[in-house]
Amino acid sequence: MREILVAGNWKMNGSNAANMELVAGIVAGVPEGEGFSLLVCPPYPYLSAVVAEAEGSAVKVGAQSVSEHESGAYTGEVAPAMLKDIGCEYVIVGHSERRALYGESSFQVAAKFQAAQVAGLTPILCVGETLEEREDGATERVVDFQLNAVFDAAGIGSFENAVIAYEPVWAIGTGMTATPEQAQEVHKHIRSQLAARDANIAEQVQILYGGSMKGENAAGLLAMPDIDGGLIGGASLKANDFLAIAAAAAQV
Ligand code: 13P
């Protein structure tokens, strides 16, 4: 059985005080139960302090992005080994905001994915279509293109230590959640793409859903056979909202 992963992407939010309060609240409220884990991804400046606060708890820590380079003259960038060095276990790569606002190509995302793994981090690879692409019937083609860049660069074996997040762009921050059936359809497709390359790996990979997930809709999404957790933006910014999703995960 795949574990459920409930991951909070805090994006560019909070302050030292607010983010410490947030992680402390989450650590204090981890629901009883098994078969799920929690992850928070704060902005870079707060990572070390959040790692320290979460130490010894069931809450893991990841970053929201990473350089594809190992070290050197890349002003403003953060190397994968640096994230590992300060206690991060995961890193999000290819979030649609990075792709759309900062021009990250699927090839650059694949390079980040590989670099993260080399440093011992677990990449969370985000894929997903825009509303226009969905309306054009291009959802699978778009997702396949994003996945293929990583299959080509890193190989199917690399998914032994990776998570995929399906985040339909039209559902991010809009309050428009994909229905459990809509999400399941794409998750199943993603797993079939993995299975075409390696059936065992396909069975192991956690595929998270992201896009306006919250306490009220989490149970329905998590009940789907190929939805193995969530990557949560807005509802990860208040401990109680995030813990409501964690509680749904604890009951699956
Ligand atoms: P929302 O949960 O705010 O829609 O954001 C989803 C997301 O982008 C997580 O990475």
Side-chain angles (χ1 to χ4, degrees):
M1 258 308 266
R2 293 182 294 271
E3 265 214 340
I4 291 182
L5 177 61
V6 178
N9 174 7
W10 294 1
K11 306 192 181 182
M12 197 173 76
N13 288 297
S15 61
N16 196 31
N19 287 341
M20 294 318 290
E21 192 184 322
L22 177 54
V23 66
I26 293 169
V27 165
V30 176
E32 298 283 322
E34 283 179 5
F36 69 96
S37 50
L38 305 185
L39 169 70
V40 295
C41 300
Y44 288 137
Y46 308 113
L47 280 170
S48 279
V50 169
V51 165
E53 183 71 30
E55 205 180 334
S57 81
V59 180
K60 299 172 184 176
V61 183
Q64 299 172 17
S65 183
V66 69
S67 172
E68 64 272 43
H69 301 290
E70 235 177 79
S71 67
Y74 300 101
T75 300
E77 290 291 287
V78 173
M82 296 173 181
L83 297 176
K84 182 75 183 171
D85 191 28
I86 60 157
C88 284
E89 293 180 62
Y90 289 81
V91 63
I92 298 169
V93 298
H95 192 280
S96 64
E97 287 150 19
R98 301 289 322 167
R99 293 179 192 259
L101 303 175
Y102 302 98
E104 287 186 11
S105 70
S106 288
F107 307 101
Q108 192 181 5
V109 170
K112 288 172 186 267
F113 178 102
Q114 271 191 297
Q117 284 190 333
V118 167
L121 298 164
T122 301
I124 300 176
L125 171 66
C126 299
V127 298
E129 81 290 0
T130 62
L131 185 57
E132 200 181 1
E133 289 163 341
R134 172 162 282 258
E135 286 173 347
D136 281 351
T139 297
E140 291 187 358
R141 188 169 53 76
V142 168
V143 167
D144 288 353
F145 184 84
Q146 294 168 337
L147 288 174
N148 283 337
V150 181
F151 291 142
D152 291 348
I156 182 67
S158 66
F159 282 85
E160 277 194 45
N161 175 35
V163 175
I164 297 173
Y166 169 57
E167 298 208 307
V169 178
W170 48 272
I172 296 178
T174 58
M176 243 165 71
T177 322
T179 64
E181 293 74 23
Q182 276 176 323
Q184 165 60 22
E185 192 181 357
V186 183
H187 282 231
K188 188 175 171 200
H189 172 74
I190 291 170
R191 203 175 304 284
S192 78
Q193 292 298 297
L194 295 162
R197 292 163 177 86
D198 188 309
N200 288 332
I201 289 178
E203 274 310 301
Q204 287 169 29
V205 177
Q206 290 169 313
I207 307 178
L208 315 183
Y209 168 78
S212 301
M213 194 171 186
K214 40 189 182 276
E216 300 89 81
N217 58 30
L221 288 158
L222 295 174
M224 291 289 135
D226 290 297
I227 300 183
D228 309 313
L231 184 55
I232 300 122
S236 72
L237 298 177
K238 287 198 182 131
N240 284 344
D241 292 350
F242 187 65
L243 290 170
I245 301 171
Q251 275 163 29
V252 173

